[in-house]
Each structure stands twice: as structure tokens, then as C-alpha cells.
Amino acid sequence: MFKSSLSLYQTLTTQDNKTMKLANTKDNNVRVKALKTVKQTQWTGEITHDNIDKCLTAINLFQGINSGLYVPKAIRINGLTGIFMINEDGSLNFESRVIKISDNKYKIEHLTNDGYNHFEAKYSELI
């Protein structure tokens, strides 16, 4: 039986005051476990916004995974640095994260090529 690693997460409420839970699937559990092995130096980014909603919208539009009408939702997961986006289908968006710099400054970071390769290798091993 596959053990869930999603028992320790916090869904954040964004400006539209709606929350969405991360789907408790094997795929999401493996993504979280693989992300926990990625080094902090394997993330990069300099784009900042004044709130988390703008960061999530930028990530959503950049990656083009969800519909254009989707209002992105945020999640904080114990053991991981930053805030991650929940995709429209309830899956974890693992390629980008948001780091809170100050009350009015949030930075978007993306996995580097090395980080993505490390994540992909660990994900393949665990799935």
C-alpha cells in the first residue's frame, strides 16, 4: 500500500477567498517526495510581484496547463520551501514555486535544468 505524504499540508486562501484541496493521489504524493530531494540551489528566478495571486496567475499563464478562466490556488507543504500552485485538476504544479520575500514582495522561482532532471529521476524511481 502506498503511504500518503500529503498529510502535512496547508491550503492557502487567495484573494477570491476560495480554497481547493490538493488531490490525494499517488502522483501527487510522489511529486512531493521527489521535490523534497531537490536542493535549494536547483531553483532560480528573479520575477517579483506584490501579492501571491499575481505570482500564481503568472505561473498559470506561463505554463499554460490550466484553462484561461482558472483562478490558481496556493498550497504550502511541510518540508518544502515556498508556496506551490494547485492545478485545475487538483494536481500539484511542481515546476514553479513562490517565495515570500516581504509583506508586499513575492518571488517566482522555477526548477533549473539540473533540478528538473533530478526531480524527474527521483519521480521515475518512486512511481
Side-chain angles (χ1 to χ4, degrees), residues 86-122:
I86 301 174
N87 290 320
E88 194 169 20
D89 64 359
S91 65
L92 178 66
N93 185 311
F94 65 90
E95 297 178 40
S96 302
R97 67 182 183 180
V98 177
I99 303 294
K100 184 175 182 177
I101 305 298
S102 65
D103 284 340
N104 293 320
K105 189 171 185 180
Y106 296 83
K107 178 171 69 167
I108 299 172
E109 292 186 337
H110 303 283
L111 281 172
T112 63
N113 287 339
D114 286 341
Y116 190 87
N117 290 337
H118 176 85
F119 171 86
E120 191 174 54
K122 193 63 174 177

Short mmCIF file of all heavy atoms in Angstrom, two decimals, residues 86-122:
data_model
loop_
_atom_site.label_atom_id
_atom_site.label_comp_id
_atom_site.label_asym_id
_atom_site.label_seq_id
_atom_site.Cartn_x
_atom_site.Cartn_y
_atom_site.Cartn_z
N ILE A 86 -1.81 24.71 -7.07
CA ILE A 86 -2.62 23.53 -7.36
C ILE A 86 -3.22 23.74 -8.74
O ILE A 86 -3.84 24.76 -9.00
CB ILE A 86 -3.75 23.36 -6.32
CG1 ILE A 86 -3.17 23.24 -4.91
CG2 ILE A 86 -4.60 22.14 -6.67
CD1 ILE A 86 -4.23 23.21 -3.82
N ASN A 87 -3.03 22.77 -9.62
CA ASN A 87 -3.62 22.85 -10.95
C ASN A 87 -5.13 22.65 -10.89
O ASN A 87 -5.67 22.17 -9.89
CB ASN A 87 -2.99 21.80 -11.88
CG ASN A 87 -1.56 22.12 -12.22
OD1 ASN A 87 -1.21 23.27 -12.45
ND2 ASN A 87 -0.72 21.10 -12.25
N GLU A 88 -5.78 22.98 -11.96
CA GLU A 88 -7.23 22.90 -12.06
C GLU A 88 -7.76 21.49 -11.75
O GLU A 88 -8.83 21.33 -11.18
CB GLU A 88 -7.65 23.32 -13.47
CG GLU A 88 -9.09 23.60 -13.66
CD GLU A 88 -9.36 24.27 -15.01
OE1 GLU A 88 -8.53 24.19 -15.93
OE2 GLU A 88 -10.42 24.90 -15.12
N ASP A 89 -6.98 20.46 -12.10
CA ASP A 89 -7.41 19.08 -11.88
C ASP A 89 -7.05 18.56 -10.48
O ASP A 89 -7.26 17.39 -10.17
CB ASP A 89 -6.81 18.15 -12.94
CG ASP A 89 -5.29 18.07 -12.88
OD1 ASP A 89 -4.66 18.74 -12.03
OD2 ASP A 89 -4.71 17.32 -13.71
N GLY A 90 -6.50 19.43 -9.61
CA GLY A 90 -6.14 19.04 -8.26
C GLY A 90 -4.73 18.52 -8.12
O GLY A 90 -4.28 18.16 -7.04
N SER A 91 -3.98 18.49 -9.22
CA SER A 91 -2.59 18.02 -9.16
C SER A 91 -1.66 19.15 -8.73
O SER A 91 -1.98 20.33 -8.86
CB SER A 91 -2.15 17.47 -10.52
OG SER A 91 -2.14 18.50 -11.50
N LEU A 92 -0.51 18.77 -8.21
CA LEU A 92 0.49 19.73 -7.75
C LEU A 92 1.33 20.22 -8.92
O LEU A 92 1.88 19.42 -9.67
CB LEU A 92 1.40 19.07 -6.71
CG LEU A 92 2.54 19.93 -6.16
CD1 LEU A 92 1.98 21.10 -5.35
CD2 LEU A 92 3.46 19.08 -5.30
N ASN A 93 1.42 21.53 -9.07
CA ASN A 93 2.31 22.11 -10.07
C ASN A 93 3.70 22.15 -9.44
O ASN A 93 3.97 22.95 -8.56
CB ASN A 93 1.84 23.51 -10.45
CG ASN A 93 2.65 24.10 -11.56
OD1 ASN A 93 3.87 24.09 -11.51
ND2 ASN A 93 1.98 24.63 -12.55
N PHE A 94 4.58 21.28 -9.88
CA PHE A 94 5.88 21.09 -9.23
C PHE A 94 7.01 21.91 -9.85
O PHE A 94 8.08 22.03 -9.25
CB PHE A 94 6.27 19.61 -9.26
CG PHE A 94 6.49 19.07 -10.65
CD1 PHE A 94 7.74 19.13 -11.24
CD2 PHE A 94 5.44 18.54 -11.37
CE1 PHE A 94 7.94 18.65 -12.53
CE2 PHE A 94 5.62 18.06 -12.65
CZ PHE A 94 6.87 18.11 -13.23
N GLU A 95 6.81 22.48 -11.01
CA GLU A 95 7.90 23.14 -11.73
C GLU A 95 8.21 24.54 -11.23
O GLU A 95 9.29 25.06 -11.50
CB GLU A 95 7.60 23.19 -13.22
CG GLU A 95 7.49 21.83 -13.86
CD GLU A 95 7.13 21.93 -15.33
OE1 GLU A 95 7.65 22.82 -16.01
OE2 GLU A 95 6.34 21.09 -15.79
N SER A 96 7.29 25.15 -10.51
CA SER A 96 7.47 26.52 -10.04
C SER A 96 7.00 26.65 -8.61
O SER A 96 6.14 25.89 -8.16
CB SER A 96 6.66 27.50 -10.91
OG SER A 96 7.03 27.41 -12.26
N ARG A 97 7.56 27.63 -7.93
CA ARG A 97 7.13 27.92 -6.56
C ARG A 97 7.20 29.42 -6.34
O ARG A 97 7.83 30.15 -7.11
CB ARG A 97 7.99 27.18 -5.54
CG ARG A 97 9.43 27.67 -5.48
CD ARG A 97 10.24 26.88 -4.48
NE ARG A 97 11.60 27.41 -4.38
CZ ARG A 97 12.54 26.92 -3.59
NH1 ARG A 97 12.28 25.87 -2.83
NH2 ARG A 97 13.73 27.46 -3.55
N VAL A 98 6.56 29.87 -5.26
CA VAL A 98 6.57 31.29 -4.91
C VAL A 98 7.21 31.42 -3.54
O VAL A 98 6.88 30.68 -2.61
CB VAL A 98 5.12 31.86 -4.87
CG1 VAL A 98 5.14 33.31 -4.43
CG2 VAL A 98 4.44 31.69 -6.22
N ILE A 99 8.15 32.34 -3.43
CA ILE A 99 8.84 32.61 -2.17
C ILE A 99 8.42 33.99 -1.67
O ILE A 99 8.52 34.98 -2.41
CB ILE A 99 10.38 32.57 -2.37
CG1 ILE A 99 10.83 31.23 -2.95
CG2 ILE A 99 11.10 32.89 -1.06
CD1 ILE A 99 10.62 30.04 -2.05
N LYS A 100 7.96 34.05 -0.43
CA LYS A 100 7.59 35.34 0.16
C LYS A 100 8.87 36.04 0.63
O LYS A 100 9.58 35.54 1.49
CB LYS A 100 6.63 35.15 1.33
CG LYS A 100 6.14 36.45 1.91
CD LYS A 100 5.10 36.22 2.99
CE LYS A 100 4.61 37.55 3.53
NZ LYS A 100 3.55 37.38 4.52
N ILE A 101 9.14 37.21 0.06
CA ILE A 101 10.32 38.00 0.41
C ILE A 101 9.99 38.96 1.55
O ILE A 101 10.74 39.11 2.50
CB ILE A 101 10.84 38.79 -0.81
CG1 ILE A 101 11.12 37.86 -2.00
CG2 ILE A 101 12.06 39.61 -0.45
CD1 ILE A 101 12.18 36.83 -1.78
N SER A 102 8.83 39.62 1.45
CA SER A 102 8.34 40.54 2.48
C SER A 102 6.81 40.61 2.34
O SER A 102 6.24 39.91 1.51
CB SER A 102 8.97 41.93 2.32
OG SER A 102 8.56 42.51 1.10
N ASP A 103 6.19 41.46 3.13
CA ASP A 103 4.73 41.55 3.10
C ASP A 103 4.17 41.87 1.72
O ASP A 103 3.09 41.42 1.35
CB ASP A 103 4.22 42.58 4.10
CG ASP A 103 4.28 42.07 5.53
OD1 ASP A 103 4.35 40.84 5.73
OD2 ASP A 103 4.25 42.91 6.45
N ASN A 104 4.88 42.65 0.94
CA ASN A 104 4.39 43.05 -0.38
C ASN A 104 5.33 42.64 -1.51
O ASN A 104 5.36 43.30 -2.55
CB ASN A 104 4.18 44.57 -0.42
CG ASN A 104 3.05 44.99 0.48
OD1 ASN A 104 2.03 44.32 0.56
ND2 ASN A 104 3.24 46.09 1.19
N LYS A 105 6.09 41.58 -1.30
CA LYS A 105 7.02 41.15 -2.34
C LYS A 105 7.13 39.62 -2.34
O LYS A 105 7.52 39.01 -1.35
CB LYS A 105 8.40 41.77 -2.13
CG LYS A 105 9.35 41.56 -3.28
CD LYS A 105 10.62 42.37 -3.11
CE LYS A 105 11.51 42.24 -4.32
NZ LYS A 105 12.73 43.03 -4.16
N TYR A 106 6.76 39.04 -3.48
CA TYR A 106 6.80 37.60 -3.67
C TYR A 106 7.62 37.30 -4.93
O TYR A 106 7.45 37.98 -5.95
CB TYR A 106 5.39 37.04 -3.83
CG TYR A 106 4.53 37.20 -2.60
CD1 TYR A 106 3.87 38.39 -2.34
CD2 TYR A 106 4.39 36.15 -1.71
CE1 TYR A 106 3.08 38.54 -1.20
CE2 TYR A 106 3.60 36.29 -0.57
CZ TYR A 106 2.96 37.48 -0.33
OH TYR A 106 2.18 37.61 0.79
N LYS A 107 8.46 36.30 -4.87
CA LYS A 107 9.34 35.96 -6.00
C LYS A 107 8.94 34.60 -6.57
O LYS A 107 8.69 33.65 -5.85
CB LYS A 107 10.79 35.90 -5.53
CG LYS A 107 11.78 35.51 -6.62
CD LYS A 107 13.22 35.66 -6.20
CE LYS A 107 13.60 34.66 -5.14
NZ LYS A 107 15.05 34.58 -4.92
N ILE A 108 8.89 34.52 -7.90
CA ILE A 108 8.61 33.26 -8.60
C ILE A 108 9.95 32.58 -8.88
O ILE A 108 10.87 33.20 -9.41
CB ILE A 108 7.88 33.51 -9.93
CG1 ILE A 108 6.55 34.19 -9.68
CG2 ILE A 108 7.70 32.19 -10.69
CD1 ILE A 108 5.84 34.64 -10.96
N GLU A 109 10.03 31.31 -8.54
CA GLU A 109 11.21 30.51 -8.85
C GLU A 109 10.78 29.28 -9.65
O GLU A 109 9.71 28.73 -9.42
CB GLU A 109 11.94 30.07 -7.58
CG GLU A 109 12.59 31.19 -6.82
CD GLU A 109 13.43 30.71 -5.66
OE1 GLU A 109 13.20 29.59 -5.15
OE2 GLU A 109 14.32 31.47 -5.25
N HIS A 110 11.65 28.89 -10.57
CA HIS A 110 11.42 27.70 -11.40
C HIS A 110 12.57 26.72 -11.18
O HIS A 110 13.69 27.14 -10.84
CB HIS A 110 11.37 28.08 -12.88
CG HIS A 110 10.34 29.11 -13.21
ND1 HIS A 110 9.00 28.83 -13.31
CD2 HIS A 110 10.46 30.44 -13.44
CE1 HIS A 110 8.34 29.93 -13.60
NE2 HIS A 110 9.20 30.92 -13.68
N LEU A 111 12.29 25.45 -11.39
CA LEU A 111 13.36 24.45 -11.32
C LEU A 111 14.38 24.74 -12.42
O LEU A 111 14.01 25.05 -13.56
CB LEU A 111 12.80 23.04 -11.54
CG LEU A 111 12.12 22.37 -10.37
CD1 LEU A 111 11.46 21.07 -10.82
CD2 LEU A 111 13.11 22.10 -9.25
N THR A 112 15.66 24.65 -12.08
CA THR A 112 16.71 24.74 -13.10
C THR A 112 16.69 23.44 -13.91
O THR A 112 16.00 22.48 -13.54
CB THR A 112 18.09 24.90 -12.45
OG1 THR A 112 18.36 23.73 -11.66
CG2 THR A 112 18.17 26.15 -11.58
N ASN A 113 17.46 23.38 -14.98
CA ASN A 113 17.56 22.13 -15.74
C ASN A 113 18.06 20.99 -14.87
O ASN A 113 17.54 19.88 -14.94
CB ASN A 113 18.46 22.31 -16.97
CG ASN A 113 17.79 23.13 -18.05
OD1 ASN A 113 16.56 23.25 -18.09
ND2 ASN A 113 18.59 23.70 -18.93
N ASP A 114 19.09 21.27 -14.06
CA ASP A 114 19.60 20.24 -13.15
C ASP A 114 18.53 19.82 -12.14
O ASP A 114 18.39 18.63 -11.83
CB ASP A 114 20.84 20.73 -12.40
CG ASP A 114 22.07 20.78 -13.27
OD1 ASP A 114 22.09 20.12 -14.33
OD2 ASP A 114 23.02 21.48 -12.89
N GLY A 115 17.80 20.79 -11.63
CA GLY A 115 16.74 20.50 -10.67
C GLY A 115 15.64 19.65 -11.29
O GLY A 115 15.15 18.70 -10.68
N TYR A 116 15.26 20.00 -12.52
CA TYR A 116 14.22 19.24 -13.21
C TYR A 116 14.69 17.81 -13.49
O TYR A 116 13.93 16.85 -13.28
CB TYR A 116 13.81 19.93 -14.51
CG TYR A 116 12.58 19.31 -15.12
CD1 TYR A 116 11.31 19.72 -14.76
CD2 TYR A 116 12.70 18.27 -16.05
CE1 TYR A 116 10.18 19.14 -15.30
CE2 TYR A 116 11.57 17.68 -16.59
CZ TYR A 116 10.33 18.12 -16.22
OH TYR A 116 9.21 17.52 -16.75
N ASN A 117 15.93 17.67 -13.94
CA ASN A 117 16.47 16.33 -14.21
C ASN A 117 16.53 15.50 -12.94
O ASN A 117 16.22 14.30 -12.95
CB ASN A 117 17.86 16.42 -14.85
CG ASN A 117 17.80 16.96 -16.27
OD1 ASN A 117 16.77 16.89 -16.93
ND2 ASN A 117 18.90 17.51 -16.73
N HIS A 118 16.93 16.13 -11.82
CA HIS A 118 16.97 15.43 -10.54
C HIS A 118 15.56 15.01 -10.12
O HIS A 118 15.34 13.87 -9.71
CB HIS A 118 17.60 16.32 -9.46
CG HIS A 118 17.59 15.71 -8.11
ND1 HIS A 118 18.56 14.84 -7.68
CD2 HIS A 118 16.70 15.80 -7.09
CE1 HIS A 118 18.27 14.43 -6.46
NE2 HIS A 118 17.13 15.01 -6.08
N PHE A 119 14.62 15.95 -10.22
CA PHE A 119 13.23 15.65 -9.88
C PHE A 119 12.70 14.49 -10.73
O PHE A 119 12.10 13.55 -10.22
CB PHE A 119 12.34 16.89 -10.10
CG PHE A 119 10.88 16.59 -9.96
CD1 PHE A 119 10.27 16.61 -8.71
CD2 PHE A 119 10.11 16.26 -11.08
CE1 PHE A 119 8.92 16.31 -8.58
CE2 PHE A 119 8.77 15.95 -10.95
CZ PHE A 119 8.17 15.98 -9.69
N GLU A 120 12.92 14.57 -12.04
CA GLU A 120 12.41 13.55 -12.95
C GLU A 120 12.99 12.17 -12.64
O GLU A 120 12.26 11.17 -12.66
CB GLU A 120 12.74 13.95 -14.39
CG GLU A 120 12.05 13.13 -15.44
CD GLU A 120 12.31 13.67 -16.83
OE1 GLU A 120 13.51 13.85 -17.19
OE2 GLU A 120 11.34 13.92 -17.55
N ALA A 121 14.28 12.11 -12.34
CA ALA A 121 14.92 10.83 -12.00
C ALA A 121 14.34 10.26 -10.71
O ALA A 121 14.04 9.05 -10.63
CB ALA A 121 16.43 11.01 -11.87
N LYS A 122 14.16 11.10 -9.70
CA LYS A 122 13.60 10.65 -8.42
C LYS A 122 12.14 10.25 -8.59
O LYS A 122 11.70 9.23 -8.03
CB LYS A 122 13.74 11.76 -7.37
CG LYS A 122 13.48 11.29 -5.98
CD LYS A 122 14.51 10.25 -5.56
CE LYS A 122 14.36 9.87 -4.11
NZ LYS A 122 15.29 8.83 -3.72
#
